[in-house]
């Protein structure tokens, strides 16, 4: 559709006027390429044009989803629609529900801004054919998005995403797409989700929690789930508790970003908390902070992944481990594989993203996924109920782990030491290079493929191209090498949602004396840390 036709049929007078005021060069740029389905949906800035999030794009996307559902035999089925509290989310969710209702679907429009895991849960709970959440997760404040679930609450994968894109291209003009009013549901599904999240609590005893939802939608639901789990000593960062689409107290609304959890850790120290919990804005991701002898620090995504995976496997009833599957992504630490082997469970390494992690037990007869994680603070801790990352259920489970360790006279720090003695010291890091546009990342990947480095940080390395191999492929290169009891690994890939090149580093060093429970790990960790720093310096030149 050319700019003039698009503007003439834009149902939102604000974005129509905005487009009319654009220069010819700006219009050309905005109409050069429409938004594409990336991480299970659309994501982009809120403004006019087909390359952004706006009412016209949402209407066309919803018409396309309805078309694909009907073609796949789901006409008149139930569809769940939810939203976060970002700019435009309320109107986008309403428009999505209205288009689906007019197309003959039974629409459950969730009340109020709610966490993304509630939608993933509601799809499974109700047997819906699909779920749509309006959210941009932890993206900057200017962005919004459109996340799609099919197949029992799993993020969509190919060919469904391309089918929806094809249908979008053939959609009628936005103002000609039929719409039918939809009233929001009650809060029954939210209550069901809270009750299920609370079942991640198995221990007794109080846990003192410091919590921030980082201006997102997870605060109220997280507090309700923790209280339902018997955890009432909750201290929240008051300036970050209420949803605010401008995220005024953080430079970037992502718990992994430097400075994002400063207020949380300050509160945790003042309150004498046992654990600090930060949710990202749509509450599907969870970061943990712990007290140490040097003060409070945030765990890495991998450290949390190891702790929760070990705890869930250790707590399995006798005989269950043989049929249990745990999964981590290709860019995450490989310690979970060693943990699974220790308990006699099966580990599956998947491509990046929960659309793959949530399907890790597909095609494995007699095996059931019980846990999946990726290093970007995403954890699926109750796959039977939510086949996606879920920050709130993770928060409840983390508190349960704290209580269980305390009953044994241990801490999260001590638990990490135990894992290091058992499986070797693992040190991980990530280096992100922000770029002007995705084409720069593609150029770097092409150069590395054409002339891969043979040495990194003094280690001879071999490259595996994950784009050209047997089995699942992805645009990534995996460099590995080892020497004198130390192994190194670097995985480099372009980001799927932003113009970035991302490098994931891991150094593994076996303990000097793994049979001695009193052996000091400090030297091994210091050596691994030095090697990891050298790897980081090497990849920054890429």
């Amino acid at each position: 559709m050319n700019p003039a036709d698009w503007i003439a049929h834009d149902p939102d007078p604000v974005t129509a006027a905005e487009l009319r005021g654009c220069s010819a060069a700006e219009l050309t740029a905005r109409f050069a390429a429409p938004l594409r389905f990336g991480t299970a949906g659309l994501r982009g800035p809120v403004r006019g044009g087909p390359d952004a999030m706006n009412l016209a794009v949402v209407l066309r996307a919803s018409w396309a989803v309805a078309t694909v559902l009907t073609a796949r035999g789901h006409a008149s089925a139930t569809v769940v629609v939810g939203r976060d509290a970002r700019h435009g989310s309320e109107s986008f969710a309403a428009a999505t529900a209205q288009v689906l209702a007019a197309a003959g679907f039974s629409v459950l429009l969730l009340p109020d801004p709610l966490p993304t895991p509630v939608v993933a849960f509601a799809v499974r709970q109700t047997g819906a054919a699909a779920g749509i959440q309006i959210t941009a997760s932890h993206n900057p404040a200017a962005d919004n998005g459109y996340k799609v679930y099919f197949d029992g609450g799993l993020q969509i994968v190919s060919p469904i995403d391309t089918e929806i894109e094809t249908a979008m291209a053939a959609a009628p003009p936005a103002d000609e797409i039929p719409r039918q009013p939809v009233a929001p549901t009650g809060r029954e599904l939210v209550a069901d989700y809270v009750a299920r999240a609370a079942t991640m609590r198995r221990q007794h005893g109080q846990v003192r929690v410091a919590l921030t939802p980082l201006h997102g939608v997870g605060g109220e639901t997280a507090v309700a789930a923790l209280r339902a789990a018997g955890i009432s000593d909750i201290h929240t960062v008051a300036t970050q508790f209420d949803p605010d689409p401008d995220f005024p107290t953080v430079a970037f609304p992502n718990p992994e970003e430097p400075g994002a959890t400063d207020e949380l850790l300050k509160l945790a120290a003042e309150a004498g908390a046992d654990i600090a919990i930060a949710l990202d804005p749509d509450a599907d991701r969870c970061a943990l902070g712990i007290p140490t002898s040097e003060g409070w620090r945030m765990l890495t995504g991998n450290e949390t992944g190891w702790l929760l995976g070990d705890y869930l496997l250790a707590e399995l009833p006798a005989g269950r481990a043989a049929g249990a599957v745990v999964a981590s992504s290709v860019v995450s630490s490989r310690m979970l594989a060693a943990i699974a082997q220790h308990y006699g469970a099966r580990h599956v390494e998947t491509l990046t993203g929960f659309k793959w992690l949530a399907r890790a037990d597909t095609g494995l007869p007699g095996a059931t996924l019980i846990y999946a994680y990726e290093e970007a603070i995403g954890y699926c801790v109750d796959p039977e109920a939510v086949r996606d990352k879920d920050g709130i259920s993770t928060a409840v489970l983390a508190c349960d782990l704290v209580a269980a360790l305390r009953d044994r006279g241990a801490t999260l720090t001590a638990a990490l030491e135990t894992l290091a003695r058992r499986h070797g010291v693992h040190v991980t890091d990530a280096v992100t290079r922000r770029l002007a546009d995705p084409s720069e990342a593609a150029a770097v990947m092409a150069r590395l493929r054409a002339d891969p480095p043979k040495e990194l940080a003094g280690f001879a390395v071999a490259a595996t191209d994950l784009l050209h191999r047997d089995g699942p492929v992805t645009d990534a290169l995996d460099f590995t090498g080892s020497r004198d009891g130390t192994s190194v690994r670097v995985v480099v890939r372009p980001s799927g949602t932003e113009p970035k090149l991302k490098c994931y580093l891991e150094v593994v060093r076996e303990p000097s004396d793994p049979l001695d429970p009193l052996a000091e790990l400090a030297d091994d960790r210091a050596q691994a840390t030095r090697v990891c720093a050298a790897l980081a310096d090497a990849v920054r030149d890429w």
Side-chain angles (χ1 to χ4, degrees), residues 448-541:
L448 290 173
R449 283 192 168 93
D451 186 21
K454 303 296 190 296
E455 179 269 341
L456 290 171
F459 286 74
V461 294
T464 300
D465 190 344
L466 304 186
L467 191 59
H468 303 100
R469 63 168 183 172
D470 293 334
V473 297
T474 186
D475 186 8
L477 290 165
D478 187 351
F479 298 92
T480 56
S482 62
R483 189 188 68 223
D484 301 328
T486 300
S487 63
V488 299
R489 182 171 184 244
V490 175
V491 180
V492 56
R493 71 175 183 93
S495 169
T497 56
E498 300 173 86
K500 296 178 181 177
L501 190 73
K502 307 184 82 171
C503 298
Y504 305 85
L505 321 177
E506 181 164 33
V507 179
V508 181
R509 183 167 176 79
E510 293 297 324
S512 302
D513 187 355
L515 298 179
D516 180 2
L518 300 179
E520 288 294 331
L521 297 173
D523 288 346
D524 294 307
R525 184 168 285 112
Q527 290 186 52
T529 300
R530 284 194 293 271
V531 173
C532 197
L535 284 176
D537 288 340
V539 302
R540 286 191 185 98
D541 292 335

Side-chain angles (χ1 to χ4, degrees), residues 249-330:
T249 71
V250 292
F252 200 92
N254 181 348
E256 295 179 290
E257 290 290 322
T261 58
D262 287 355
E263 290 300 312
L264 171 68
L265 296 184
K266 178 182 176 183
L267 173 65
E270 291 172 350
D274 299 307
I275 188 170
I277 298 171
L279 303 173
D280 77 334
D282 69 330
D284 64 349
R285 304 196 309 154
C286 177
L288 303 181
I290 63 171
T292 73
S293 57
E294 288 79 37
W296 279 82
R297 78 170 179 94
M298 298 302 294
L299 296 177
T300 68
N302 282 310
E303 287 175 322
T304 298
W306 307 333
L307 289 166
L308 297 180
D310 183 77
Y311 184 49
L312 286 170
L313 286 168
E315 292 293 305
L316 284 177
R320 278 272 325 267
V325 173
V326 296
S328 53
S329 69
V330 68

Side-chain angles (χ1 to χ4, degrees), residues 180-217:
Q180 178 177 309
V182 177
T185 68
R187 296 188 61 85
E188 293 81 8
L189 283 169
V190 183
D192 289 345
Y193 169 80
V194 167
R196 179 68 188 215
T199 65
M200 301 311 296
R201 172 84 157 141
R202 303 167 177 85
Q203 307 297 324
H204 300 288
Q206 197 54 251
V207 178
R208 181 170 294 175
V209 179
L211 172 74
T212 180
L214 284 183
H215 302 292
V217 296

Side-chain angles (χ1 to χ4, degrees), residues 1-20 27 30-31 47-50 52-60 92 172-176 179:
M1 188 180 297
N2 64 51
D5 287 342
W6 180 282
I7 293 169
H9 290 284
D10 191 332
D12 184 345
V14 174
T15 50
E18 175 197 336
L19 291 171
R20 289 191 192 96
L27 277 181
R30 293 198 188 190
F31 282 78
R47 55 173 173 74
M53 282 293 296
N54 52 67
L55 182 59
V57 165
V58 167
L59 290 169
R60 290 166 62 86
F92 295 164
D175 63 345
E176 296 177 9
R179 298 160 70 176

